Amino acid sequence: FHSLPARRVRGERHTLGVPVSGQQDVLRCRRGLGCVLRIAMRALHARLRARSRQWIAQQRYASSGSTVRYLVIDGYTKAGRDDLEAGGATTAGGLYAAMLAKCTPLDLPVQCDIVCPADPDFVLPDLKQYHGVGWSGSSLTVYAKNDDRIERARSLSLQCYAHGIPQFGSCFGAQLAVATANGVVQKNPFGKEVGIARKISLTPAGRTHPMYEGKPSVFGGFTSHNDHITHIGRGCMHLASNAFTSVQAVAVRHLNGEFWGLQYHPEYDLHELARLLHCRRKVSIQLGFFRDLEQADAFIEELETLSRDLSRTDIAWRLGIDSDVLDETVRLCEVNNFVRHLVLPYKRRVPFAVAASKNKKNKKTKTVMLAASTVLLRGGYGARVGMPPLGRALSTGPSPLKFLVIDGYSKDGRADLEAGGASTAGKLYTSLLTKCTPHGNAQCDVVFPADEDFQSPDLSKYHAVAWTGCSLTIHDTQDIRVTKQIEFARKVFDYGVPQYGSCWAAQIAVAAANGVCAKNPRGREMGIARKIALTPEGRAHPMFEGKPSVFDAFISHNDEITHIRPGGLNLAGNDFTSVQAVAVRHLNGEFWGVQYHPEYDLHELARLTYCRRQKLIDLGFFKDMKSADDYIDDLENLHIDPSRYDIAWRFGIDADVMDEVIRHCETRNFIKYLALPYKATVEGK
């Protein structure tokens, strides 16, 4: 009682529980004590009633069994399902049922009921008995008008939203979810996206959303669709995108429910993709994915071979198929999170929801439904692809921009390249710098520091220094050809001339500034570096102005940068090589370097691959000499005729590799922001 507030009685202050004199004081004390006891008893009774209701609900839940029940909605028509089965593919409903069962904890039994709203005899199921709804893909079009099949699917989607049951879906399912929530779906102007959706990048909202917990921020996914989401309603979140499809994932909250949707297909694997392509061979040929049935069958057979034997890294490398597609743990990450974060919590809440609905059955309720306004998706990953750097480049004036090009190859290395029909690194860089200099007003002097007769040139004659790639090993400190180049880089740093380069050059920049390079434990990165993603520093750095935040690039290297000293920035990386671009400030100079090769094109990559054929076979990139020669021929054919979309699609070669404007972006920015200002400063003295 000492915690009760003090009262004023007869002008004196006292606390209940302290002896008082007078009958009036005793009565007041008794009344206060009775009030406290009544409040305490009411609270105790309320707690007991709550515990009783909870116990009854738990008993009801336990008696109903612990089975997780899914309603799987197969959006295909009967003819579409028959077509898939005739081609050896599993129906969409079967794939989804297997996927949901696989992603549900092993200690819980699973029941999946498959319904097909596109069938005329479809009957709306009782949603109260399910804990989650899975929407498969479909060959139907969401925005089709006066189509009873779409109307039935929309009605079912609306019922699921109203009931509050968690939903998950891919492709058609995601589009239908957005359309039901007042969004807009239209035909994709880029055409059909099929096979593997490349470089899907999470938005800021996607990186923090529970659906992508444990997922890489850049990944690939199996896909097959013609339409795409253009507008999402209020209550929707845009979670992922790529250059082809601006909305690759959404989270929709509408009415009482939530829907997590993907444009790609986590339920597919290589075998199912192969069977789907087999069913769509003629359509794929008409759309340019294959030239003829023979090429289509060969591609399908390669997918089947890789599906049976995942150790066939030669096929995976050639087709650009990474672990984010092959590894089931990564591929099913979104579904696992859906089950964990939505289905199982909903399953635990089901008895309470049922009890609450019974208590409120006779009460009059007023429901106000607000039409969700739509918002236009702006920007996105694809908005930056192919855009030239902003701003106007400085004029070189009447005098040329003078480059010192440092070809790091030894004499034997240069001879080996020329014997295979490849250009030397110095010639490639001369061509690159001339193309990227305004009006081509560039003068390039090539030197070879790995040669014995090399003498350090006069740096005062040059406005920039460009370093090529090299076949030497940067961390071989016993090789005088290596140490000589590192010392020369330090000399250039000290002089203050801006430096730029690729592969060996980035390693030289870090080593000269007392950083560390080592052999890449993952082995050799060759051909096309996939899914290079800019770091936050890279997105803000002028070298990447106008560059997509995720891109592919030509590459060939064994070593990597492991430690960058203060004064250096890591601007980009991918899963294979954590440092794909650096900006290093050291002494009086600055060096911009990339680990990949913007100076290459498809022809040069083909010739380099030709020179390294036996080494690449030994490393597992090719099975034999014939497969290597076939790959080289395909690269050459694509270089000669860039319209050969069948080759580009098969190897996963996108515009960021094919388009010179995107590929040379870093070089143009180096000239714009470092070389030309340095030239203006020097000539203005």
Side-chain angles (χ1 to χ4, degrees), residues 195-196 198 222 269-275 277 297-328 331 530 620-621 623 650-651:
I196 297 176
R198 309 279 179 178
F222 295 117
D269 57 18
L270 286 169
H271 168 71
E272 292 299 335
L273 177 63
R275 300 331 303 160
L277 290 173
D297 289 338
F299 180 76
I300 292 167
E301 182 57 34
E302 282 194 311
L303 291 181
E304 292 282 19
T305 302
L306 183 58
S307 174
R308 292 189 296 267
D309 183 7
L310 294 179
S311 65
R312 288 293 302 273
T313 55
D314 57 313
I315 299 176
W317 171 79
R318 191 166 66 254
L319 303 182
I321 301 175
D322 294 335
S323 60
D324 49 10
V325 173
L326 294 175
D327 188 349
E328 197 173 71
R331 195 172 70 243
R530 306 283 179 178
F621 288 95
K623 194 172 185 182
R650 192 165 72 251
F651 293 153

Side-chain angles (χ1 to χ4, degrees), residues 237-260:
M237 294 178 67
H238 177 205
L239 303 181
S241 65
N242 71 349
F244 202 98
T245 303
S246 60
V247 181
Q248 286 281 2
V250 290
V252 183
R253 287 184 177 177
H254 184 58
L255 300 179
N256 304 315
E258 187 164 1
F259 194 117
W260 291 0

Side-chain angles (χ1 to χ4, degrees), residues 410-431:
S410 64
K411 191 173 183 179
D412 293 339
R414 299 195 299 272
D416 181 45
L417 290 173
E418 290 180 324
S423 303
T424 61
K427 290 180 180 178
L428 282 177
Y429 250 81
T430 299
S431 175

Side-chain angles (χ1 to χ4, degrees), residues 69-76 81 85 90-101 110-119 121-125 129-130 132-137 156:
R69 294 184 293 275
Y70 295 102
L71 176 64
V72 176
I73 301 170
D74 188 332
Y76 278 83
R81 299 194 299 272
E85 290 180 327
T90 309
T91 61
L95 283 177
Y96 246 77
M99 178 182 70
L100 291 170
V110 177
Q111 174 186 327
C112 294
D113 297 338
I114 303 175
V115 296
C116 304
D119 293 352
D121 57 350
F122 168 73
V123 178
L124 187 69
Q129 59 181 317
Y130 298 108
V133 176
W135 290 80
S136 78
L156 178 55

Side-chain angles (χ1 to χ4, degrees), residues 17 79 92 134 189 203 245-246 263 317 413 446 449 532 604 630 645 659 661 666:
T203 64
T245 303
S246 60
Q263 187 58 67
W317 171 79
V446 183
I532 299 173
E604 292 298 336
D630 290 343
Y645 184 65
D659 189 347
V661 175
E666 300 90 327

Side-chain angles (χ1 to χ4, degrees), residues 109-345:
V110 177
Q111 174 186 327
C112 294
D113 297 338
I114 303 175
V115 296
C116 304
D119 293 352
D121 57 350
F122 168 73
V123 178
L124 187 69
D126 180 13
L127 297 176
K128 292 181 180 179
Q129 59 181 317
Y130 298 108
H131 304 120
V133 176
W135 290 80
S136 78
S138 173
S139 55
L140 299 178
T141 303
V142 168
Y143 49 85
K145 296 181 179 179
N146 302 321
D147 190 334
D148 293 339
R149 300 168 298 182
I150 298 297
E151 292 304 320
R152 286 194 293 269
R154 277 179 181 265
S155 176
L156 178 55
S157 176
L158 195 62
Q159 290 287 337
C160 292
Y161 274 128
H163 188 76
I165 185 170
Q167 303 175 75
F168 181 89
S170 53
C171 199
F172 173 82
Q175 296 170 10
L176 186 69
V178 170
T180 305
N182 303 311
V184 180
V185 178
Q186 295 176 346
K187 189 174 182 64
N188 194 326
F190 296 116
K192 189 177 184 70
E193 188 177 26
V194 70
I196 297 176
R198 309 279 179 178
K199 299 184 287 292
I200 299 173
S201 179
L202 297 182
T203 64
R207 284 192 287 271
T208 59
H209 196 273
M211 180 167 70
Y212 283 108
E213 187 178 295
K215 190 85 170 180
S217 59
V218 182
F219 57 94
F222 295 117
T223 195
S224 177
H225 68 100
N226 285 307
D227 306 325
H228 71 148
I229 298 165
T230 58
H231 297 70
I232 58 176
R234 187 173 297 168
C236 301
M237 294 178 67
H238 177 205
L239 303 181
S241 65
N242 71 349
F244 202 98
T245 303
S246 60
V247 181
Q248 286 281 2
V250 290
V252 183
R253 287 184 177 177
H254 184 58
L255 300 179
N256 304 315
E258 187 164 1
F259 194 117
W260 291 0
L262 314 173
Q263 187 58 67
Y264 49 95
H265 290 271
E267 72 274 19
Y268 284 2
D269 57 18
L270 286 169
H271 168 71
E272 292 299 335
L273 177 63
R275 300 331 303 160
L276 179 69
L277 290 173
H278 178 80
C279 298
R280 306 279 190 268
R281 284 181 303 170
K282 292 183 179 179
V283 175
S284 298
I285 291 170
Q286 292 172 0
L287 293 174
F289 292 102
F290 304 110
R291 296 200 85 179
D292 48 42
L293 284 175
E294 182 181 354
Q295 189 185 65
D297 289 338
F299 180 76
I300 292 167
E301 182 57 34
E302 282 194 311
L303 291 181
E304 292 282 19
T305 302
L306 183 58
S307 174
R308 292 189 296 267
D309 183 7
L310 294 179
S311 65
R312 288 293 302 273
T313 55
D314 57 313
I315 299 176
W317 171 79
R318 191 166 66 254
L319 303 182
I321 301 175
D322 294 335
S323 60
D324 49 10
V325 173
L326 294 175
D327 188 349
E328 197 173 71
T329 304
V330 181
R331 195 172 70 243
L332 299 182
C333 183
E334 299 91 328
V335 191
N336 282 312
N337 288 329
F338 166 72
V339 174
R340 175 186 170 193
H341 290 292
L342 290 188
V343 173
L344 296 182

